[in-house]
mmCIF file of all heavy atoms in Angstrom:
data_model
loop_
_atom_site.group_PDB
_atom_site.id
_atom_site.type_symbol
_atom_site.label_atom_id
_atom_site.label_comp_id
_atom_site.label_asym_id
_atom_site.label_seq_id
_atom_site.Cartn_x
_atom_site.Cartn_y
_atom_site.Cartn_z
ATOM 1 N N THR G 1220 325.149 169.909 112.236
ATOM 2 C CA THR G 1220 324.797 170.993 111.293
ATOM 3 C C THR G 1220 323.289 171.199 111.506
ATOM 4 O O THR G 1220 322.613 170.369 112.122
ATOM 5 C CB THR G 1220 324.986 170.581 109.805
ATOM 6 O OG1 THR G 1220 324.278 169.413 109.554
ATOM 7 C CG2 THR G 1220 326.512 170.345 109.542
ATOM 8 N N GLU G 1221 322.803 172.285 110.957
ATOM 9 C CA GLU G 1221 321.380 172.589 111.122
ATOM 10 C C GLU G 1221 320.515 171.503 110.524
ATOM 11 O O GLU G 1221 319.425 171.230 111.045
ATOM 12 C CB GLU G 1221 321.111 173.943 110.394
ATOM 13 C CG GLU G 1221 319.894 174.634 110.987
ATOM 14 C CD GLU G 1221 319.682 176.016 110.379
ATOM 15 O OE1 GLU G 1221 320.635 176.527 109.733
ATOM 16 O OE2 GLU G 1221 318.578 176.537 110.567
ATOM 17 N N ALA G 1222 320.970 170.778 109.516
ATOM 18 C CA ALA G 1222 320.194 169.754 108.927
ATOM 19 C C ALA G 1222 319.868 168.628 109.891
ATOM 20 O O ALA G 1222 318.895 167.915 109.732
ATOM 21 C CB ALA G 1222 320.957 169.139 107.698
ATOM 22 N N GLY G 1223 320.688 168.490 110.906
ATOM 23 C CA GLY G 1223 320.444 167.401 111.914
ATOM 24 C C GLY G 1223 319.939 167.926 113.155
ATOM 25 O O GLY G 1223 319.899 167.154 114.196
ATOM 26 N N ALA G 1224 319.514 169.204 113.227
ATOM 27 C CA ALA G 1224 319.084 169.733 114.536
ATOM 28 C C ALA G 1224 317.959 168.872 115.132
ATOM 29 O O ALA G 1224 317.043 168.530 114.442
ATOM 30 C CB ALA G 1224 318.584 171.209 114.323
ATOM 31 N N GLY G 1225 318.126 168.600 116.429
ATOM 32 C CA GLY G 1225 317.098 167.800 117.127
ATOM 33 C C GLY G 1225 317.191 166.370 116.868
ATOM 34 O O GLY G 1225 316.367 165.567 117.366
ATOM 35 N N ARG G 1226 318.165 165.962 116.141
ATOM 36 C CA ARG G 1226 318.327 164.517 115.725
ATOM 37 C C ARG G 1226 319.390 163.789 116.497
ATOM 38 O O ARG G 1226 320.456 164.341 116.711
ATOM 39 C CB ARG G 1226 318.591 164.457 114.209
ATOM 40 C CG ARG G 1226 317.491 164.819 113.319
ATOM 41 C CD ARG G 1226 316.569 163.705 113.102
ATOM 42 N NE ARG G 1226 315.382 163.999 112.337
ATOM 43 C CZ ARG G 1226 314.352 163.088 112.258
ATOM 44 N NH1 ARG G 1226 314.347 161.970 112.871
ATOM 45 N NH2 ARG G 1226 313.303 163.466 111.505
ATOM 46 N N GLU G 1227 319.170 162.530 116.840
ATOM 47 C CA GLU G 1227 320.176 161.729 117.439
ATOM 48 C C GLU G 1227 320.242 160.407 116.673
ATOM 49 O O GLU G 1227 319.268 160.025 115.955
ATOM 50 C CB GLU G 1227 319.838 161.397 118.895
ATOM 51 C CG GLU G 1227 319.771 162.677 119.746
ATOM 52 C CD GLU G 1227 319.519 162.359 121.180
ATOM 53 O OE1 GLU G 1227 318.567 161.606 121.496
ATOM 54 O OE2 GLU G 1227 320.223 162.946 122.066
ATOM 55 N N GLY G 1228 321.362 159.712 116.737
ATOM 56 C CA GLY G 1228 321.547 158.492 116.044
ATOM 57 C C GLY G 1228 321.816 157.294 117.074
ATOM 58 O O GLY G 1228 322.454 157.506 118.084
ATOM 59 N N PHE G 1229 321.216 156.200 116.726
ATOM 60 C CA PHE G 1229 321.335 154.988 117.561
ATOM 61 C C PHE G 1229 321.889 153.866 116.626
ATOM 62 O O PHE G 1229 321.234 153.542 115.630
ATOM 63 C CB PHE G 1229 319.991 154.596 118.114
ATOM 64 C CG PHE G 1229 319.393 155.709 118.956
ATOM 65 C CD1 PHE G 1229 318.597 156.643 118.336
ATOM 66 C CD2 PHE G 1229 319.643 155.798 120.256
ATOM 67 C CE1 PHE G 1229 318.072 157.711 119.078
ATOM 68 C CE2 PHE G 1229 319.080 156.855 121.015
ATOM 69 C CZ PHE G 1229 318.311 157.784 120.325
ATOM 70 N N ILE G 1230 323.003 153.314 116.967
ATOM 71 C CA ILE G 1230 323.595 152.334 116.157
ATOM 72 C C ILE G 1230 323.661 151.001 116.928
ATOM 73 O O ILE G 1230 324.222 150.926 118.019
ATOM 74 C CB ILE G 1230 325.008 152.704 115.691
ATOM 75 C CG1 ILE G 1230 324.990 154.084 115.008
ATOM 76 C CG2 ILE G 1230 325.644 151.659 114.789
ATOM 77 C CD1 ILE G 1230 326.292 154.763 114.944
ATOM 78 N N LYS G 1231 323.056 150.013 116.326
ATOM 79 C CA LYS G 1231 323.005 148.707 117.031
ATOM 80 C C LYS G 1231 323.526 147.715 115.998
ATOM 81 O O LYS G 1231 323.334 147.817 114.792
ATOM 82 C CB LYS G 1231 321.533 148.464 117.232
ATOM 83 C CG LYS G 1231 321.223 147.284 118.128
ATOM 84 C CD LYS G 1231 319.715 147.366 118.577
ATOM 85 C CE LYS G 1231 319.240 146.083 119.088
ATOM 86 N NZ LYS G 1231 317.823 146.199 119.568
ATOM 87 N N HIS G 1232 324.259 146.736 116.475
ATOM 88 C CA HIS G 1232 324.868 145.703 115.623
ATOM 89 C C HIS G 1232 323.975 144.466 115.570
ATOM 90 O O HIS G 1232 323.823 143.827 116.578
ATOM 91 C CB HIS G 1232 326.304 145.444 116.061
ATOM 92 C CG HIS G 1232 327.188 146.566 115.773
ATOM 93 N ND1 HIS G 1232 328.303 146.520 114.922
ATOM 94 C CD2 HIS G 1232 327.170 147.886 116.167
ATOM 95 C CE1 HIS G 1232 328.854 147.693 114.865
ATOM 96 N NE2 HIS G 1232 328.238 148.530 115.607
ATOM 97 N N PHE G 1233 323.485 144.171 114.456
ATOM 98 C CA PHE G 1233 322.599 142.976 114.253
ATOM 99 C C PHE G 1233 323.434 141.858 113.641
ATOM 100 O O PHE G 1233 324.337 142.027 112.899
ATOM 101 C CB PHE G 1233 321.443 143.366 113.249
ATOM 102 C CG PHE G 1233 320.469 144.288 113.872
ATOM 103 C CD1 PHE G 1233 320.658 145.617 113.985
ATOM 104 C CD2 PHE G 1233 319.250 143.788 114.468
ATOM 105 C CE1 PHE G 1233 319.768 146.503 114.555
ATOM 106 C CE2 PHE G 1233 318.284 144.659 115.013
ATOM 107 C CZ PHE G 1233 318.613 146.015 115.064
ATOM 108 N N PRO G 1234 322.977 140.589 114.035
ATOM 109 C CA PRO G 1234 323.693 139.488 113.468
ATOM 110 C C PRO G 1234 323.592 139.442 111.944
ATOM 111 O O PRO G 1234 322.595 139.748 111.363
ATOM 112 C CB PRO G 1234 322.968 138.275 114.032
ATOM 113 C CG PRO G 1234 321.687 138.796 114.657
ATOM 114 C CD PRO G 1234 321.919 140.247 114.897
#
Side-chain angles (χ1 to χ4, degrees):
Chain G
T1220 57
E1221 205 175 345
R1226 290 276 178 191
E1227 299 183 310
F1229 303 86
I1230 303 161
K1231 191 167 164 175
H1232 289 242
F1233 288 81

